[in-house]
Amino acid sequence: MKNNLFCFLGLSIIGIVSTDSCSLEISPSRVVVKFGDPVSVSCVASRPVRVLGWESVIAASHTQNDLSVQWRVDSLTDWIEEPICYGVFFTAPRQCEEKLNLVLYKKPDSVSISLVNHSSPVVEGREYQLQCEVQNVAPVQYLVLRWYRGKTEVYNHSFSELSPATPVQVSSTLLIVPNRADNGAQYRCEAQLELGAEGPQPPPTVQSEVLNIAVQYPPIFRSPEEETLDISEDSETVLDCTAEGNPPPVYVWSSSNLQEKADQPVLTAASLSPGLYTCTASNILGKKSKQFVIKHKSR
Protein backbone atom coordinates (compact mmCIF):
# COMPACT_ATOMS: atom_id res chain seq x y z
CA MET A 1 0.00 0.00 0.00
CA LYS A 2 2.85 2.41 0.87
CA ASN A 3 4.62 1.78 -2.45
CA ASN A 4 1.39 2.22 -4.33
CA LEU A 5 0.82 5.58 -2.59
CA PHE A 6 4.27 6.93 -3.58
CA CYS A 7 3.72 5.80 -7.17
CA PHE A 8 0.31 7.46 -7.21
CA LEU A 9 1.77 10.73 -5.84
CA GLY A 10 4.57 10.79 -8.41
CA LEU A 11 2.20 10.27 -11.32
CA SER A 12 -0.20 12.87 -10.01
CA ILE A 13 2.42 15.62 -9.58
CA ILE A 14 3.64 15.22 -13.15
CA GLY A 15 0.17 15.77 -14.52
CA ILE A 16 -0.88 18.72 -12.37
CA VAL A 17 -1.91 21.92 -14.12
CA SER A 18 -2.54 25.20 -12.37
CA THR A 19 -5.87 26.76 -13.30
CA ASP A 20 -8.04 29.64 -12.15
CA SER A 21 -10.47 27.13 -10.66
CA CYS A 22 -7.88 25.45 -8.45
CA SER A 23 -9.41 24.88 -5.02
CA LEU A 24 -6.21 25.58 -3.13
CA GLU A 25 -5.34 28.65 -1.09
CA ILE A 26 -1.85 29.44 0.19
CA SER A 27 -1.59 31.57 3.30
CA PRO A 28 0.21 33.90 3.28
CA SER A 29 0.21 34.05 -0.52
CA ARG A 30 3.52 35.97 -0.62
CA VAL A 31 6.31 35.41 1.86
CA VAL A 32 9.47 37.50 2.31
CA VAL A 33 12.13 35.69 4.34
CA LYS A 34 15.56 36.82 5.49
CA PHE A 35 18.33 34.35 4.61
CA GLY A 36 18.64 31.83 7.45
CA ASP A 37 15.32 32.70 9.12
CA PRO A 38 12.45 30.22 9.70
CA VAL A 39 9.33 30.17 7.52
CA SER A 40 5.94 28.50 7.78
CA VAL A 41 3.17 28.56 5.16
CA SER A 42 -0.14 26.69 5.03
CA CYS A 43 -2.03 25.34 2.03
CA VAL A 44 -5.76 24.78 2.40
CA ALA A 45 -8.11 22.85 0.09
CA SER A 46 -11.66 24.14 -0.19
CA ARG A 47 -13.15 20.73 -1.21
CA PRO A 48 -12.49 17.08 -0.37
CA VAL A 49 -9.09 15.97 -1.53
CA ARG A 50 -7.39 12.59 -2.04
CA VAL A 51 -3.86 13.93 -1.48
CA LEU A 52 -2.72 17.38 -0.44
CA GLY A 53 0.96 18.25 -0.24
CA TRP A 54 3.97 20.45 -0.83
CA GLU A 55 6.45 19.71 -3.59
CA SER A 56 9.77 21.22 -2.47
CA VAL A 57 13.52 20.61 -2.46
CA ILE A 58 13.42 20.73 1.32
CA ALA A 59 10.61 20.05 3.78
CA ALA A 60 8.35 18.33 1.21
CA SER A 61 5.20 16.96 2.86
CA HIS A 62 1.73 15.56 2.09
CA THR A 63 -1.47 14.38 3.79
CA GLN A 64 -4.41 12.17 2.85
CA ASN A 65 -6.47 12.98 5.90
CA ASP A 66 -6.61 16.77 6.23
CA LEU A 67 -7.74 19.74 4.17
CA SER A 68 -4.59 21.68 5.09
CA VAL A 69 -0.87 21.01 5.02
CA GLN A 70 2.09 23.05 6.28
CA TRP A 71 5.37 23.86 4.60
CA ARG A 72 7.78 24.63 7.42
CA VAL A 73 11.56 25.25 7.37
CA ASP A 74 13.57 26.11 10.48
CA SER A 75 16.32 27.95 8.57
CA LEU A 76 15.80 28.80 4.91
CA THR A 77 19.11 28.90 3.01
CA ASP A 78 18.17 27.44 -0.39
CA TRP A 79 18.22 30.19 -3.02
CA ILE A 80 16.46 28.11 -5.69
CA GLU A 81 13.60 26.91 -3.49
CA GLU A 82 10.19 27.15 -5.26
CA PRO A 83 7.59 25.38 -3.10
CA ILE A 84 4.42 24.24 -4.89
CA CYS A 85 1.23 23.15 -3.14
CA TYR A 86 -0.60 20.42 -5.08
CA GLY A 87 -3.93 18.71 -4.68
CA VAL A 88 -5.44 15.52 -6.14
CA PHE A 89 -9.23 15.73 -5.82
CA PHE A 90 -12.16 13.32 -6.03
CA THR A 91 -14.01 15.49 -8.54
CA ALA A 92 -13.02 17.61 -11.51
CA PRO A 93 -10.76 19.38 -11.81
CA ARG A 94 -8.99 16.43 -10.24
CA GLN A 95 -5.50 17.91 -10.15
CA CYS A 96 -4.22 21.43 -9.58
CA GLU A 97 -1.37 23.30 -8.00
CA GLU A 98 -0.44 26.70 -6.60
CA LYS A 99 3.10 28.05 -6.46
CA LEU A 100 4.18 29.95 -3.37
CA ASN A 101 5.42 33.47 -4.09
CA LEU A 102 8.60 33.20 -2.02
CA VAL A 103 11.24 35.93 -1.74
CA LEU A 104 14.43 34.99 0.07
CA TYR A 105 16.58 38.07 0.68
CA LYS A 106 19.98 38.99 2.02
CA LYS A 107 21.32 42.44 2.91
CA PRO A 108 24.63 43.45 1.29
CA ASP A 109 27.85 42.44 3.01
CA SER A 110 29.18 45.91 2.25
CA VAL A 111 28.52 49.11 0.31
CA SER A 112 31.50 51.23 -0.75
CA ILE A 113 31.96 54.52 -2.63
CA SER A 114 35.03 55.76 -4.50
CA LEU A 115 36.34 58.02 -7.26
CA VAL A 116 36.99 56.00 -10.44
CA ASN A 117 40.67 56.04 -11.49
CA HIS A 118 41.34 59.11 -9.39
CA SER A 119 41.96 60.26 -5.87
CA SER A 120 40.86 63.50 -4.27
CA PRO A 121 41.38 66.43 -4.79
CA VAL A 122 39.58 67.05 -8.07
CA VAL A 123 39.83 70.08 -10.35
CA GLU A 124 36.98 72.51 -10.98
CA GLY A 125 35.19 72.05 -14.31
CA ARG A 126 36.48 68.56 -15.10
CA GLU A 127 34.29 65.45 -15.29
CA TYR A 128 34.68 62.64 -12.78
CA GLN A 129 32.95 59.34 -12.03
CA LEU A 130 31.91 58.21 -8.59
CA GLN A 131 31.28 54.49 -8.18
CA CYS A 132 29.16 52.69 -5.61
CA GLU A 133 29.80 48.95 -5.20
CA VAL A 134 27.41 46.56 -3.45
CA GLN A 135 28.70 43.16 -2.35
CA ASN A 136 26.57 40.00 -2.07
CA VAL A 137 22.98 41.21 -2.16
CA ALA A 138 19.86 39.24 -3.12
CA PRO A 139 17.52 39.34 -4.86
CA VAL A 140 19.04 42.16 -6.90
CA GLN A 141 15.82 42.97 -8.79
CA TYR A 142 14.46 44.52 -5.56
CA LEU A 143 17.57 46.64 -5.00
CA VAL A 144 17.56 50.43 -5.31
CA LEU A 145 20.83 52.37 -5.02
CA ARG A 146 20.38 55.96 -3.87
CA TRP A 147 23.05 58.62 -4.27
CA TYR A 148 23.24 61.55 -1.84
CA ARG A 149 25.12 64.83 -1.82
CA GLY A 150 24.91 65.83 1.80
CA LYS A 151 21.30 65.08 2.75
CA THR A 152 19.92 65.58 -0.77
CA GLU A 153 19.21 62.60 -3.01
CA VAL A 154 20.71 63.34 -6.44
CA TYR A 155 20.19 60.04 -8.29
CA ASN A 156 18.84 56.52 -7.86
CA HIS A 157 19.51 53.32 -9.77
CA SER A 158 17.28 50.24 -9.79
CA PHE A 159 18.13 46.75 -11.05
CA SER A 160 14.65 45.49 -11.91
CA GLU A 161 15.88 44.23 -15.30
CA LEU A 162 18.08 41.63 -13.57
CA SER A 163 16.65 38.34 -12.31
CA PRO A 164 19.22 36.17 -10.45
CA ALA A 165 17.93 34.81 -7.16
CA THR A 166 21.38 34.19 -5.68
CA PRO A 167 23.59 36.92 -4.15
CA VAL A 168 25.48 39.08 -6.66
CA GLN A 169 27.81 42.07 -6.78
CA VAL A 170 26.54 45.17 -8.59
CA SER A 171 27.68 48.77 -9.03
CA SER A 172 26.36 52.17 -10.02
CA THR A 173 28.17 55.26 -11.28
CA LEU A 174 27.47 58.97 -10.86
CA LEU A 175 29.00 61.63 -13.13
CA ILE A 176 29.96 64.91 -11.48
CA VAL A 177 31.48 68.15 -12.80
CA PRO A 178 32.49 69.91 -9.57
CA ASN A 179 32.83 73.65 -9.11
CA ARG A 180 34.30 75.64 -6.23
CA ALA A 181 31.00 75.52 -4.35
CA ASP A 182 31.43 71.72 -4.19
CA ASN A 183 34.66 71.97 -2.23
CA GLY A 184 34.09 69.92 0.92
CA ALA A 185 30.94 68.28 -0.45
CA GLN A 186 30.08 64.88 1.01
CA TYR A 187 28.78 62.06 -1.18
CA ARG A 188 27.45 58.69 -0.08
CA CYS A 189 25.34 55.90 -1.50
CA GLU A 190 22.68 53.75 0.10
CA ALA A 191 21.58 50.25 -0.89
CA GLN A 192 17.93 49.55 -0.11
CA LEU A 193 15.94 46.36 -0.67
CA GLU A 194 12.38 47.38 -1.50
CA LEU A 195 10.64 44.05 -0.87
CA GLY A 196 7.03 45.22 -0.89
CA ALA A 197 4.33 45.33 1.76
CA GLU A 198 5.16 41.80 2.97
CA GLY A 199 8.81 42.70 3.52
CA PRO A 200 10.35 44.33 6.60
CA GLN A 201 9.49 47.98 7.25
CA PRO A 202 11.46 50.15 6.97
CA PRO A 203 13.22 48.36 4.08
CA PRO A 204 16.62 46.77 4.80
CA THR A 205 19.27 49.42 4.14
CA VAL A 206 23.08 49.52 4.12
CA GLN A 207 24.99 52.80 3.69
CA SER A 208 28.48 53.50 2.41
CA GLU A 209 31.03 55.62 4.19
CA VAL A 210 31.04 59.33 3.31
CA LEU A 211 33.30 60.41 0.44
CA ASN A 212 34.61 63.96 0.95
CA ILE A 213 35.35 65.85 -2.25
CA ALA A 214 38.14 68.45 -2.20
CA VAL A 215 37.94 70.73 -5.25
CA GLN A 216 40.93 72.70 -6.52
CA TYR A 217 40.28 75.96 -8.41
CA PRO A 218 42.27 79.04 -9.52
CA PRO A 219 42.25 82.30 -7.53
CA ILE A 220 39.38 84.74 -7.83
CA PHE A 221 39.18 88.14 -6.14
CA ARG A 222 36.25 89.05 -3.98
CA SER A 223 36.24 92.42 -5.78
CA PRO A 224 38.27 92.20 -9.02
CA GLU A 225 37.78 95.77 -10.26
CA GLU A 226 40.59 98.33 -10.12
CA GLU A 227 40.39 100.49 -7.00
CA THR A 228 41.35 104.16 -6.67
CA LEU A 229 41.96 105.47 -3.17
CA ASP A 230 42.12 109.18 -2.26
CA ILE A 231 43.79 109.31 1.14
CA SER A 232 45.22 111.89 3.49
CA GLU A 233 48.86 111.65 4.38
CA ASP A 234 48.12 110.71 7.97
CA SER A 235 45.18 108.35 7.33
CA GLU A 236 45.31 104.57 7.36
CA THR A 237 43.63 102.70 4.50
CA VAL A 238 44.29 99.13 3.46
CA LEU A 239 44.79 97.66 0.01
CA ASP A 240 42.94 94.36 0.23
CA CYS A 241 43.97 91.85 -2.45
CA THR A 242 42.50 88.80 -0.75
CA ALA A 243 41.55 86.08 -3.23
CA GLU A 244 39.83 82.73 -2.85
CA GLY A 245 41.53 79.68 -4.31
CA ASN A 246 42.45 76.08 -3.61
CA PRO A 247 45.32 75.55 -3.00
CA PRO A 248 45.44 78.86 -1.11
CA PRO A 249 47.03 81.52 -3.32
CA VAL A 250 50.38 83.17 -2.80
CA TYR A 251 50.66 86.94 -3.30
CA VAL A 252 53.14 89.23 -5.00
CA TRP A 253 52.91 93.04 -5.01
CA SER A 254 54.66 95.11 -7.65
CA SER A 255 55.14 98.88 -7.86
CA SER A 256 57.96 101.30 -8.55
CA ASN A 257 57.23 102.74 -5.10
CA LEU A 258 57.86 99.49 -3.17
CA GLN A 259 61.31 99.26 -1.67
CA GLU A 260 60.82 95.84 -0.08
CA LYS A 261 59.18 92.62 -1.25
CA ALA A 262 55.53 92.36 -0.22
CA ASP A 263 53.87 88.94 -0.15
CA GLN A 264 50.83 89.51 2.05
CA PRO A 265 47.26 89.99 0.71
CA VAL A 266 46.86 93.32 2.54
CA LEU A 267 48.98 96.50 2.49
CA THR A 268 48.50 99.61 4.65
CA ALA A 269 48.03 102.68 2.46
CA ALA A 270 49.35 105.21 5.03
CA SER A 271 52.88 103.90 4.49
CA LEU A 272 52.65 104.00 0.70
CA SER A 273 53.44 106.73 -1.78
CA PRO A 274 50.99 107.77 -4.47
CA GLY A 275 51.10 105.61 -7.55
CA LEU A 276 50.04 102.32 -9.15
CA TYR A 277 50.22 99.08 -7.19
CA THR A 278 49.57 95.67 -8.77
CA CYS A 279 48.77 92.56 -6.73
CA THR A 280 49.01 89.07 -8.27
CA ALA A 281 47.44 86.04 -6.58
CA SER A 282 48.47 82.64 -7.95
CA ASN A 283 48.32 78.89 -7.31
CA ILE A 284 49.03 75.77 -9.40
CA LEU A 285 45.87 76.31 -11.48
CA GLY A 286 46.31 79.95 -12.49
CA LYS A 287 46.82 83.54 -11.45
CA LYS A 288 44.85 86.78 -11.29
CA SER A 289 46.00 90.38 -10.94
CA LYS A 290 44.35 93.43 -9.48
CA GLN A 291 45.44 97.09 -9.56
CA PHE A 292 45.21 99.83 -6.95
CA VAL A 293 45.80 103.54 -7.55
CA ILE A 294 46.73 105.68 -4.54
CA LYS A 295 46.19 109.43 -4.65
CA HIS A 296 46.92 111.80 -1.79
CA LYS A 297 44.36 114.45 -1.11
CA SER A 298 45.76 117.95 -1.32
CA ARG A 299 45.51 119.96 1.90
Side-chain angles (χ1 to χ4, degrees), residues 106-113 132-138 143 145 168-171 189-192 205-209:
K106 176 185 176 298
K107 291 171 62 175
D109 288 342
S110 65
V111 178
S112 60
I113 185 173
C132 182
E133 285 192 309
V134 182
Q135 301 283 344
N136 293 329
V137 62
L143 176 67
L145 270 181
V168 295
Q169 174 181 330
V170 293
S171 64
C189 57
E190 180 181 278
Q192 189 173 84
T205 301
V206 178
Q207 295 185 3
S208 72
E209 296 292 331

Side-chain angles (χ1 to χ4, degrees), residues 229 231-233 239 255-259 267-277 292-296:
L229 296 89
I231 61 174
S232 303
E233 292 185 8
L239 308 186
S255 174
S256 59
N257 296 324
L258 287 174
Q259 303 302 315
L267 292 181
T268 303
S271 62
L272 303 176
S273 302
L276 177 66
Y277 295 80
F292 298 82
V293 177
I294 295 180
K295 296 180 180 180
H296 281 176

Side-chain angles (χ1 to χ4, degrees), residues 112-123 125-133 147 154-155 157 171-178 187-189 211-213:
S112 60
I113 185 173
S114 62
L115 272 165
V116 178
N117 299 324
H118 194 81
S119 59
S120 192
V122 299
V123 177
R126 298 181 186 176
E127 185 177 89
Y128 299 90
Q129 275 191 348
L130 304 184
Q131 180 169 278
C132 182
E133 285 192 309
W147 286 90
V154 294
Y155 177 62
H157 184 178
S171 64
S172 172
T173 57
L174 178 70
L175 290 177
I176 62 170
V177 181
Y187 286 87
R188 63 182 173 89
C189 57
L211 177 65
N212 292 292
I213 300 294

Side-chain angles (χ1 to χ4, degrees), residues 46-58:
S46 60
R47 57 192 174 100
V49 62
R50 287 180 182 272
V51 181
L52 181 64
W54 284 97
E55 180 184 0
S56 174
V57 175
I58 54 175

